[in-house]
Amino acid sequence: SQQGEEDPQALSIQEGENATMNCSYKTSINNLQWYRQNSGRGLVHLILIRSNEREKHSGRLRVTLDTSKKSSSLLITASRAADTASYFCATLLLPNSGYSTLTFGKGTMLLVSP
Amino acid sequence: DAGITQSPRHKVTETGTPVTLRCHQTENHRYMYWYRQDPGHGLRLIHYSYGVKDTDKGEVSDGYSVSRSKTEDFLLTLESATSSQTSVYFCAISETRGSYNEQFFGPGTRLTVL
């Protein structure tokens, strides 16, 4: 079963508007990460938030984490057409033993129109 | 792409044939991963490696094997390809940063099994 689930599956906005994507997960995590994927390309890491953090900023990106609700949100402010991409959340679980690996959600497709 | 290359980038093969995909990195990272990406499923981990000759299974390892005889190369083999293995395959690496697991992705290999 998928650990992380993004919402909405697709989002269409105009340039200059803000875009908000949400991610929910099921089990306790070490950290949560957001990635971006342009069409036909590999994923690019955007931002990482640890389980003891509540909010992080990076440029036009703002990520929040609510561990009590097991959810995170990614806000892109003042969006640009170049922000058009798919966005994925990924969770690093707390390992019982051995190595822990990232589990990715299915992604949100963001379309920013000029 | 953090010095990660994948080969081939595109491949069309027939059911029942063996296929090997190669991931090559130039930055001596310890951890390497193979994912597949399919519509409606996001990214799913096939196998990963935490060192030379050290590998482990991921979520969807059936029908796949891997080898890592050198730090820089991580090979994914489909012993007898099936149509269900038609997918886009991504290799990733992660730097060792304590318990963080930020990953860097290669450009992907599009595999079609007829």
Side-chain angles (χ1 to χ4, degrees):
Chain A
S1 62
Q2 212 74 17
Q3 160 71 342
E5 293 285 349
E6 292 91 343
D7 172 65
Q9 291 186 351
L11 180 60
S12 183
I13 60 174
Q14 300 292 122
E15 262 192 331
E17 295 179 340
N18 295 341
T20 300
M21 290 159 267
N22 302 296
C23 173
S24 60
Y25 58 92
K26 298 176 182 175
T27 60
S28 295
I29 61 172
N30 176 292
N31 66 59
L32 185 144
Q33 304 175 30
W34 285 91
Y35 288 78
R36 162 189 168 139
Q37 184 181 33
N38 290 88
S39 180
R41 306 289 296 273
L43 277 72
V44 175
H45 182 267
L46 294 176
I47 194 165
L48 179 154
I49 186 165
R50 287 174 280 181
S51 59
N52 62 352
E53 298 176 314
R54 292 298 166 258
E55 186 171 314
K56 282 190 80 170
H57 296 256
S58 177
R60 293 184 296 113
L61 304 180
R62 172 178 171 253
V63 170
T64 62
L65 179 65
D66 187 334
T67 54
S68 66
K69 295 181 179 178
K70 292 186 169 58
S71 68
S72 173
S73 68
L74 171 68
L75 169 67
I76 304 174
T77 60
S79 63
R80 306 165 181 167
D83 293 327
T84 294
S86 291
Y87 293 82
F88 295 87
C89 71
T91 52
L92 184 70
L93 303 182
L94 293 174
N96 293 322
S97 63
Y99 297 92
S100 185
T101 56
L102 280 179
T103 302
F104 286 82
K106 298 178 184 179
T108 292
M109 291 182 60
L110 174 65
L111 173 64
V112 182
S113 301
Chain B
D1 290 328
I4 307 168
T5 57
Q6 293 184 230
S7 58
R9 293 292 314 279
H10 302 271
K11 186 170 182 66
V12 179
T13 191
E14 293 188 350
T15 298
T17 59
V19 176
T20 295
L21 308 182
R22 180 183 183 232
C23 177
H24 179 78
Q25 58 142 331
T26 60
E27 300 184 9
N28 210 36
H29 295 300
R30 179 179 177 187
Y31 301 95
M32 299 185 74
Y33 310 82
W34 276 109
Y35 293 91
R36 60 178 289 174
Q37 185 175 33
D38 304 288
H41 289 280
L43 263 75
R44 293 180 291 175
L45 181 65
I46 305 171
H47 282 279
Y48 66 100
S49 170
Y50 45 94
V52 173
K53 299 191 190 311
D54 291 324
T55 65
D56 205 348
K57 296 178 180 180
E59 179 187 355
V60 290
S61 60
D62 286 349
Y64 301 94
S65 62
V66 290
S67 65
R68 191 166 179 204
S69 58
K70 301 185 288 185
T71 300
E72 57 266 34
D73 289 325
F74 192 31
L75 304 180
L76 177 71
T77 297
L78 292 66
E79 301 290 347
S80 178
T82 68
S83 58
S84 65
Q85 293 176 311
T86 292
S87 186
V88 181
Y89 291 86
F90 287 99
C91 173
I93 59 95
S94 63
E95 301 174 350
T96 303
R97 291 182 179 177
S99 61
Y100 303 156
N101 198 14
E102 172 186 356
Q103 294 186 8
F104 299 89
F105 283 78
T109 294
R110 183 172 295 275
L111 176 67
T112 302
V113 183
L114 301 175

